[in-house]
Amino acid sequence: MAKFYSSLSEIKGGLQSGKITVEELVKDYLSQIEKNAHLNAFNEVFGQEALQQAKDLDKRLKQGKTGKLAGMVIAIKDNICYKDHKVSASSKILAGFKSIYSATIVERLLAEDAIIIGRCNCDEFAMGASNESSYYGPVKNYADETKVSGGSSGGSAVAVQAGMCHAAIGTDTGGSVRQPAAFCGVVGLKPTYGRISRHGLIAYASSFDQAGPITRSVEDAALLLEVMAGADEYDSTTAQKPVPAYAADLKKSTEKKKIAYLQESISSPGVDSEVKNTLINAIDKLRAEGHTVKPIAFEYLDYLVPAYYILVTAEASSNLARFDGVHYGYRSPAATDLVTTYKKSRSDGFGKEVKRRIMLGTFVLSAGYYDAYYAKAQKVRRLIQEKTDKIFEEYDFILMPTAPEPAYSIGKEVTDPVVSYLADIFTVQASLTGVPAISLPSGNNSKGLPLGLQLLAKHFNEQELLNFSKYFMEL
Ligand code: GLN
């Protein structure tokens, strides 16, 4: 039986006392991966390689020359490039493609002695919230295999939930780290836009995409953030701000805070009643502890999802133009010339959801509609940013559910994609505004399904967010 370590410091304790070795740890994870292969969390496992790295690390541990992440066995979402390893974004169009360089975050993680055990299933090109758009099929939730894992970093979340690795790295464009973390009962952090380099992530919507850790503890999230964060010459959108020692400075928050929560997350009929109760309980506890917790009305609530989907599909239609049957992966065998290479490779290579979004994005950017949709959505984004900044002038955090309902059944008939898009209501505000947000496990519902609550903080206030999260988890 695999042991679920709550944090890397617990693992380190075991390594130092000689109770365990990294090799044994990796073997444990590999056997857990094998036992749970039917959950479909991994697109590929780097078993032999991880074992070899573990042996080398065990030797170096004896010499005392190791990085901050020694003993941390992680999985990465399959849209993060790792040199000489395949990367597919769970799409047929990238079948067989190997990365020729590593993402900056991968280099930073490896430099601190993380071991990467495999690449995880996700929604195709990270488009989705249930992992069902993956070319490789849905990921099953470890808490209930008939339920979705959430998405798009579904495989990453289940890999952590089921003890197939200690932590995982996902990417979050509109909730893809936080929502699967909530569905799987683990911690998911989306840092401030620009805090972590996007170099080497397969782009979905470049003005939204951020990588983030999925972990079993706030402590590990802080540590992984610390390792991955910081300026990068290969990504001009990274902030030049120095990176705090998030992990070393992680202290359970002791001050009284001002917290806002969205009135609608309690009053709206669209929010599951047990999700509401979890939020109400948290509010009551915080108030009892002396924090100021007040409801706020967010007048742009109805515009969050439409603005998000117009902007991300526009960016996606541009980003995905490079998959043309010439440069990467799949080329249709039926292609006879350049135009049919493009057409047939893209028609066969992309799944339905990706095609829908490329078409929608192309439409909102087209000459006659640009002003009506794309330009307008940009203006709405600005209004949402200004309103959010205003809230943060008065409050330290915004508290809300991560998702309006717990994990739902795999294959639930969804005839209208807009219905699925609306489920992103609570996660896209942080994405549109670029502020950091964390999903924290908040118990299970009456059916044993995990629930998550989300906290948003001011730009670059990750330290305060993490400190408060640590406190919140022990409340
Ligand atoms: N569900 C959202 C979408 O489909 C978020 C996905 C993500 O964050 N990658 O766009």
Side-chain angles (χ1 to χ4, degrees):
M1 179 58 202
K3 179 159 171 15
F4 290 73
Y5 292 96
S6 61
S7 66
L8 181 64
S9 52
E10 196 191 339
I11 293 177
K12 283 195 165 156
L15 290 171
Q16 267 152 19
S17 66
K19 276 206 191 93
I20 45 165
T21 64
V22 185
E23 188 182 351
E24 282 162 7
L25 268 179
V26 170
K27 281 187 179 155
D28 264 1
Y29 294 129
L30 290 174
S31 82
Q32 191 71 354
I33 291 173
E34 209 180 294
K35 234 190 285 164
N36 292 287
H38 63 284
L39 298 179
N40 204 20
F42 281 84
N43 286 346
E44 189 183 351
V45 180
F46 310 138
Q48 282 315 312
E49 197 186 336
L51 276 173
Q52 191 52 52
Q53 287 165 345
K55 284 181 198 162
D56 293 347
L57 187 54
D58 279 326
K59 273 190 214 140
R60 283 192 290 120
L61 274 165
K62 284 198 189 109
Q63 297 154 2
K65 278 182 268 166
T66 50
K68 284 181 194 171
L69 300 180
M72 176 84 95
V73 179
I74 61 168
I76 54 174
K77 184 177 180 179
D78 192 11
N79 63 349
I80 302 174
C81 294
Y82 183 9
K83 191 172 193 279
D84 298 330
H85 293 75
K86 285 185 185 155
V87 61
S88 79
S90 288
S91 179
K92 179 178 170 185
I93 210 155
L94 274 167
F97 178 74
K98 258 191 192 167
S99 298
I100 53 172
Y101 63 88
S102 284
T104 300
I105 54 169
V106 166
E107 286 183 349
R108 290 181 181 176
L109 291 163
L110 294 174
E112 292 294 345
D113 283 327
I115 292 177
I116 301 178
I117 202 164
R119 55 184 171 104
C120 285
N121 199 347
C122 56
D123 278 297
E124 187 179 358
F125 284 102
M127 296 176 185
S130 66
N131 215 113
E132 290 171 293
S133 78
S134 167
Y135 178 62
Y136 300 103
V139 176
K140 295 177 178 165
N141 196 306
Y142 187 58
D144 176 347
E145 295 178 9
T146 66
K147 303 291 186 225
V148 298
S149 54
S152 64
S153 314
S156 303
V158 168
V160 178
Q161 178 193 27
M164 303 184 201
C165 54
H166 181 65
I169 309 299
T171 63
D172 190 312
T173 303
S176 278
V177 160
R178 292 163 282 156
Q179 184 259 27
F183 280 14
C184 296
V186 290
V187 175
L189 170 69
K190 181 203 85 78
T192 308
Y193 182 81
R195 184 69 293 189
I196 295 185
S197 166
R198 290 178 294 110
H199 175 67
L201 310 190
I202 295 179
Y204 164 12
S206 308
S207 77
F208 293 76
D209 299 343
Q210 267 298 280
I214 298 178
T215 58
R216 310 188 73 85
S217 65
V218 172
E219 195 181 319
D220 286 344
L223 185 60
L224 285 167
L225 175 66
E226 182 177 311
V227 170
M228 291 192 288
D232 177 17
E233 60 174 321
Y234 296 114
D235 175 1
S236 59
T237 63
T238 47
Q240 298 299 317
K241 279 178 181 292
V243 179
Y246 294 115
D249 291 346
L250 184 69
K251 277 189 268 330
K252 204 170 129 180
S253 169
T254 51
E255 297 131 45
K256 301 295 168 225
K257 298 288 184 189
K258 291 187 83 180
I259 301 153
Y261 68 91
L262 285 183
Q263 179 59 57
E264 283 87 347
S265 54
I266 288 175
S267 62
S268 164
V271 182
D272 173 88
S273 60
E274 291 189 78
V275 170
K276 280 182 194 167
N277 286 339
T278 306
L279 178 65
I280 293 168
N281 282 340
I283 293 169
D284 289 347
K285 276 192 200 164
L286 289 167
R287 283 189 179 140
E289 289 261 312
H291 302 284
T292 306
V293 191
K294 284 193 182 154
I296 49 157
F298 190 74
E299 66 254 48
Y300 302 121
L301 193 67
D302 289 347
Y303 300 97
L304 288 171
V305 170
Y308 170 80
Y309 274 95
I310 288 171
L311 296 171
V312 295
T313 55
E315 294 187 26
S317 72
S318 162
N319 273 326
L320 271 59
R322 70 188 64 153
F323 303 105
D324 54 6
V326 178
H327 294 90
Y328 307 91
Y330 176 77
R331 177 178 302 170
S332 166
T336 50
D337 56 15
L338 189 64
V339 173
T340 54
T341 300
Y342 291 164
K343 276 194 181 164
K344 290 188 191 295
S345 304
R346 285 171 69 84
S347 298
D348 291 359
F350 288 132
K352 202 164 136 197
E353 184 58 32
V354 174
K355 282 186 209 162
R356 181 180 0 252
R357 294 191 188 201
I358 292 173
M359 286 191 281
L360 180 59
T362 307
F363 173 77
V364 299
L365 285 173
S366 60
Y369 295 97
Y370 185 95
D371 287 339
Y373 294 106
Y374 183 72
K376 196 159 194 174
Q378 291 279 38
K379 289 179 189 157
V380 173
R381 185 180 198 179
R382 171 52 59 98
L383 288 174
I384 291 167
Q385 280 167 341
E386 283 169 2
K387 174 71 192 174
T388 305
D389 286 348
K390 270 231 134 49
I391 297 170
F392 281 128
E393 277 171 20
E394 212 182 318
Y395 295 93
D396 300 300
F397 305 110
I398 307 175
L399 172 67
M400 58 181 113
T402 308
E405 54 173 359
Y408 43 86
S409 296
I410 293 174
K412 185 176 93 171
E413 195 71 53
V414 184
T415 42
D416 183 357
V418 174
V419 174
S420 328
Y421 298 169
L422 282 171
D424 298 332
I425 181 83
F426 296 129
T427 44
V428 295
Q429 186 179 357
S431 308
L432 283 159
T433 57
V435 300
I438 193 165
S439 177
L440 299 168
S442 305
N444 293 342
N445 74 0
S446 52
K447 298 200 175 80
L449 293 171
L451 300 174
L453 289 176
Q454 187 187 199
L455 284 165
L456 280 62
K458 287 175 206 140
H459 286 104
F460 296 101
N461 259 11
E462 276 85 355
Q463 189 74 64
E464 204 185 331
L465 180 64
L466 289 161
N467 289 354
F468 193 74
S469 297
K470 193 168 162 57
Y471 160 81
F472 188 83
M473 292 281 287
E474 292 169 23
L475 204 60

